[in-house]
Amino acid sequence: SQGVHLFWWTPHASEHSTAKGAGKFALTEEALGFAPEAVLLDNMLDELRHAVAMVAGRAITEASGPITLDMAAQIAATGVDLISIGWLTHSAPILDIALDYRDS
């Protein structure tokens, strides 16, 4: 059977579970039952340490969201395996390039 390769956890995804009283991390625990290779912990800087402990090495963990280079050491201290520095793309200047083609 085909396994789950990635589970994306975001606080917004858990709102439905929380509303039903299932608990904030119920969705993560349910997803881990499918044995994903990786868990993307998106926009949950305050809960990273708890989420990493919950995954407990059963999958690769990746932190993402509004992370800057200045925060990288603090994020790494939570035990995540990978860190996506979204700041790199969010702060890049805009360059508008047109590729116009004229048939002459």
Side-chain angles (χ1 to χ4, degrees):
S1 71
Q2 195 76 353
V4 176
H5 297 292
L6 174 69
F7 174 72
W8 177 19
W9 194 100
T10 176
H12 307 295
S14 68
E15 288 174 3
H16 183 68
S17 296
T18 303
K20 291 187 172 187
K24 189 168 192 173
F25 292 97
L27 191 58
T28 301
E29 192 59 50
E30 181 180 345
L32 289 169
F34 292 98
E37 294 176 19
V39 177
L40 179 61
L41 306 168
D42 190 29
N43 292 314
M44 54 179 299
L45 301 179
D46 295 333
E47 296 97 353
L48 276 175
R49 192 173 302 279
H50 178 75
V52 169
M54 182 180 226
V55 173
R58 294 181 279 175
I60 294 169
T61 54
E62 178 178 354
S64 68
I67 299 172
T68 66
L69 290 175
D70 294 338
M71 302 166 64
Q74 177 186 354
I75 301 296
T78 67
V80 295
D81 298 303
L82 305 169
I83 302 172
S84 292
I85 308 288
W87 168 82
L88 292 174
T89 55
H90 295 228
S91 63
I94 296 171
L95 176 61
D96 186 8
I97 299 174
L99 298 174
D100 296 330
Y101 172 77
R102 293 185 185 171
D103 190 15
S104 47

